[in-house]
Amino acid sequence: MQKKPITKYKPWGVINLPDRQWPNRTIERAPQWCSVDLRDGNQALPIPMGVKEKVELFKLLCEIGFNQIEIGFPSAAQTEFDFARKLIDGNLVPDGVSLQVLTQAREHLIKRSFESLRGAKKAIIHVYNSTSPLQRQVTFGMSKEQIKQIAIEGVSLVKKLLPELPDTEVQLEYSPESFSDTEVDYALEVCEAVMDAWEPTDNNPIILNLPATVELFTPNIHADQIEWFSRNLTERNKAIISLHTHNDRGTGTAATELGLLAGADRVEGTLFGNGERTGNLDIVTVALNMYSQGLHPNLHFDNIEGIRETYERTTGMTVHDRHPYGGDLVFTAFSGSHQDAIKKGMDQRKNASGDGQEHWQVPYLSIDPGDIGRSYEAIIRINSQSGKGGVAYVLSREFGLELPKPMHPEVGQMMNKKADSESRELAAEEIYETFKKEFLNKKEPLNLISYETGKGDNDYLSCSAVIENNGKKIELSGQGNGPINAFVHAMENAGLKDFKLIDYRQHSIGGGSATESAAFVQLQIKSGKVAYGCGIHASIEKSGILALISSYNRVHH
Ligand code: KIV
Ligand code: ZN
């Protein structure tokens, strides 16, 4: 880095818009969306997609609900041309979907683009040329007037050639490329000249796409540019103002959201933000951000994992674990306090008696992962940072075991220690296996061989059992007001009762004919030592006895 003072870079400056309105607005409707995955996204791939991959991704984009899809730059490459033809000749374009093609404002390129679209029902011809001072000077060596003429001539040519697409409903899109880096009044002048040449109508408005080709400044300046442009455009009703942000500073999403507040009607972007350099705008994030505010984006991400899978396979890109909404870890909590809070929020929601319309309010989760097809499995995962609540949550969610609250710390610490000593995350199955080994299947010193109940004296229940005590078989019998009580008396009669029963509870697991019972018993011995044990069995009675024996074995360990 340059040492202070920094002379290599300068601040961007401000747009003169003292009465800006966007800061006081909220986003109130979903914009028109246009996917540029197959063009801007594709041109940024180390290995661009072939026709097969493009067709697959196109189908996915249609399923998500895009009805404007930029399919490529057909005049620039044969694959792009072939892809356009494949979509049209193969009848792969659903009704209502417009095929958008990008072309430079040059005659032979426009003609070739038209050829690629012949037979399409709806098309958007996207003409662009770069307008910023940097591009004017460095790339083209042209004056403002010359650059404006390129745009006018290109658009006029599209208009002249329109009869060559007799079966197609055509809309024009014009982009002053590098808009964000262009003087706003000059960008407006070029766009108005384009409108004069094209003569849009209220019914067939022109799309004026104002790209942040390179993101150069904070999103508020982008919003100022969009509001300034929107307010100063003469025939605003005949134009759809479109945003096309890139993400060089990491604020492409924010710039688009503020651009919408500033009056834009339409958004171009890609799935998961694939695109040149740091990417295009991530449409998934903007759309789901909207959804999280109670506004349906009219795009459907109900199966985000499937979408991600197709995206990764067709583009060869990967979605980062921390990527909003789609990343592997974004609905996962490792930290104990977060897990506790999430579990409480989930429980509260489960127990709420409402009609299912209540607002989503679960700590640390901005939306319900289930809404986008993410399973709850991933929400709480267990490593050495995790707490008691997380472990209890996993046992409950995965195996239907509702541990008594006083058991949580002991079970939590046990899993924590295991994860820490092995320096890794524990899978749900491993947690259950460890739990079973410690709380369920302890068979020493006592092991239950058989057990029966019958009618006892005075409405009491009688119990007779065979157990092994340190390998020695013993027959027991006793009576009590319930199975546990009868068994405790049987142990007492055999001289084995050196404990106090502190806690007993039971619940059923699963539903229908496969229901089992889980019981938890806590015993205390003279030294003050307490321990829980658990028993699981198809019979409620037996699960209680097994829990008592487990607890006995643990407290005597
Ligand atoms: O980023 C950009 O400016 C573009 C234009 C072609 C719209 O992709
Ligand atoms: Zn772009």
Side-chain angles (χ1 to χ4, degrees):
M1 287 171 72
Q2 190 183 16
K3 294 214 176 352
K4 289 181 196 171
I6 295 174
T7 51
K8 194 167 180 181
Y9 303 100
K10 59 175 172 35
W12 175 258
V14 292
I15 302 288
N16 184 18
L17 193 65
D19 61 342
R20 57 180 63 80
Q21 300 297 307
W22 63 262
N24 299 323
R25 297 199 189 125
T26 48
I27 298 175
E28 279 165 3
R29 65 193 162 96
Q32 294 181 24
W33 303 103
C34 174
S35 152
V36 295
D37 289 83
L38 297 162
R39 196 277 299 172
D40 221 357
N42 186 50
Q43 79 189 38
L45 295 175
I47 304 171
M49 285 177 272
V51 171
K52 182 170 159 283
E53 288 79 22
K54 280 192 147 206
V55 167
E56 192 178 353
L57 193 51
F58 178 83
K59 286 184 178 163
L60 176 74
L61 294 167
C62 293
E63 275 165 32
I64 292 172
F66 286 99
N67 48 32
Q68 299 180 22
I69 301 176
E70 191 163 79
I71 56 168
F73 202 151
S75 60
Q78 189 62 38
T79 311
E80 309 265 295
F81 187 92
D82 293 346
F83 172 58
R85 291 313 321 159
K86 168 106 191 165
L87 292 181
I88 298 163
D89 297 336
N91 267 327
L92 297 176
V93 187
D95 283 345
V97 172
S98 289
L99 299 183
Q100 179 167 315
V101 295
L102 184 73
T103 175
Q104 280 175 358
R106 292 173 31 209
E107 180 162 358
H108 67 290
L109 301 179
I110 293 173
K111 280 193 161 157
R112 181 85 173 140
S113 307
F114 270 50
E115 243 175 82
S116 77
L117 283 172
R118 201 152 295 142
K121 289 196 185 112
K122 292 180 83 167
I124 299 172
I125 314 279
H126 182 182
V127 178
Y128 77 103
N129 66 321
S130 205
T131 52
S132 69
L134 183 66
Q135 295 273 8
R136 292 195 309 258
Q137 286 150 24
V138 174
T139 316
F140 300 103
M142 285 187 184
S143 67
K144 280 182 165 176
E145 199 46 41
Q146 286 170 312
I147 292 284
K148 185 167 78 180
Q149 281 313 313
I150 294 180
I152 296 171
E153 279 162 25
V155 166
S156 307
L157 192 63
V158 172
K159 194 171 173 183
K160 193 176 105 195
L161 294 176
L162 270 185
E164 292 192 19
L165 282 177
D167 306 323
T168 310
E169 198 183 299
V170 175
Q171 192 171 20
L172 181 79
E173 171 167 339
Y174 171 70
S175 292
E177 199 212 74
S178 60
F179 162 81
S180 53
D181 201 11
T182 302
E183 309 87 332
V184 267
D185 51 352
Y186 174 62
L188 182 72
E189 181 186 323
V190 175
C191 287
E192 294 213 316
V194 162
M195 283 179 81
D196 289 346
W198 182 253
E199 296 181 300
T201 61
D202 284 0
N203 292 335
N204 190 3
I206 186 171
I207 298 168
L208 294 177
N209 186 49
L210 307 178
T213 304
V214 180
E215 186 177 53
L216 297 165
F217 36 71
T218 49
N220 60 308
I221 295 181
H222 184 64
D224 278 354
Q225 290 178 323
I226 301 296
E227 183 171 331
W228 186 96
F229 187 97
S230 177
R231 280 165 56 176
N232 286 284
L233 185 67
T234 313
E235 292 188 294
R236 177 68 181 87
N237 52 317
K238 293 183 182 165
I240 287 168
I241 293 188
S242 172
L243 305 173
H244 177 115
T245 60
H246 280 262
N247 196 36
D248 298 80
R249 296 165 51 98
T251 54
T253 297
T256 291
E257 290 181 332
L258 299 194
L260 288 173
L261 297 179
D265 312 296
R266 180 179 186 268
V267 168
E268 291 192 350
T270 58
L271 299 179
F272 305 111
N274 178 39
E276 301 278 13
R277 307 178 305 280
T278 51
N280 279 73
L281 165 81
D282 173 14
I283 284 192
V284 179
T285 298
V286 175
L288 289 173
N289 283 354
M290 234 173 241
Y291 178 71
S292 77
Q293 304 300 299
L295 188 64
H296 202 292
N298 301 328
L299 293 177
H300 304 280
F301 296 107
D302 310 65
N303 175 15
I304 196 119
E305 294 193 353
I307 291 171
R308 187 179 112 179
E309 191 277 316
T310 304
Y311 161 82
E312 291 189 331
R313 191 162 34 73
T314 52
T315 61
M317 300 299 286
T318 47
V319 174
H320 194 278
D321 282 352
R322 301 278 177 214
H323 194 100
Y325 302 108
D328 250 348
L329 293 180
V330 298
F331 296 115
T332 300
F334 286 107
S335 125
S337 61
H338 289 205
Q339 292 177 343
D340 276 346
I342 291 174
K343 177 170 161 32
K344 281 181 186 149
M346 292 290 202
D347 285 351
Q348 206 173 70
R349 221 179 138 72
K350 202 162 67 188
N351 299 333
S353 56
D355 54 4
Q357 298 299 315
E358 53 286 313
H359 289 139
W360 175 255
Q361 273 191 314
V362 175
Y364 302 107
L365 293 178
S366 62
I367 65 163
D368 181 352
D371 288 354
I372 55 172
R374 302 287 304 259
S375 70
Y376 294 120
E377 280 146 50
I379 296 175
I380 289 186
R381 287 166 52 174
I382 304 302
N383 66 11
S384 62
Q385 303 293 304
S386 311
K388 51 191 170 48
V391 173
Y393 181 79
V394 168
L395 288 171
S396 157
R397 184 199 62 213
E398 295 289 307
F399 307 102
L401 275 185
E402 304 300 338
L403 304 193
K405 198 104 198 214
M407 257 184 116
H408 291 192
E410 191 184 355
V411 182
Q413 275 156 25
M414 187 179 292
M415 304 305 165
N416 219 280
K417 240 163 116 183
K418 182 173 166 65
D420 199 22
S421 67
E422 296 175 25
S423 300
R424 63 185 182 87
E425 185 187 343
L426 302 183
E429 282 295 339
E430 285 178 279
I431 292 170
Y432 188 45
E433 285 310 314
T434 310
F435 175 83
K436 281 204 301 199
K437 199 165 145 218
E438 182 59 33
F439 291 91
L440 206 69
N441 294 336
K442 280 235 174 330
K443 297 207 157 78
E444 279 175 2
L446 291 193
N447 185 22
L448 184 70
I449 309 286
S450 66
Y451 160 85
E452 263 171 33
T453 50
K455 219 170 134 24
D457 308 330
N458 303 327
D459 287 342
Y460 267 40
L461 196 83
S462 75
C463 135
S464 49
V466 179
I467 59 167
E468 275 174 352
N469 185 10
N470 285 316
K472 198 174 132 210
K473 244 183 205 159
I474 303 174
E475 291 187 8
L476 315 173
S477 62
Q479 299 198 14
N481 56 9
I484 296 282
N485 192 243
F487 189 77
V488 169
H489 281 134
M491 288 182 77
E492 194 169 16
N493 295 339
L496 286 170
K497 186 180 176 267
D498 59 351
F499 55 81
K500 209 161 73 184
L501 194 144
I502 309 282
D503 189 16
Y504 165 63
R505 53 186 98 182
Q506 172 280 329
H507 69 80
S508 53
I509 309 175
S513 54
T515 309
E516 285 195 303
S517 162
F520 300 90
V521 168
Q522 190 185 36
L523 301 181
Q524 183 174 40
I525 53 174
K526 273 211 184 74
S527 65
K529 188 175 173 193
V530 287
Y532 265 104
C534 174
I536 297 178
H537 199 270
S539 134
I540 296 179
E541 282 182 6
K542 190 142 182 209
S543 70
I545 306 302
L546 288 171
L548 192 142
I549 288 183
S550 288
S551 170
Y552 183 96
N553 288 338
R554 294 193 71 241
V555 83
H556 286 92
H557 197 64

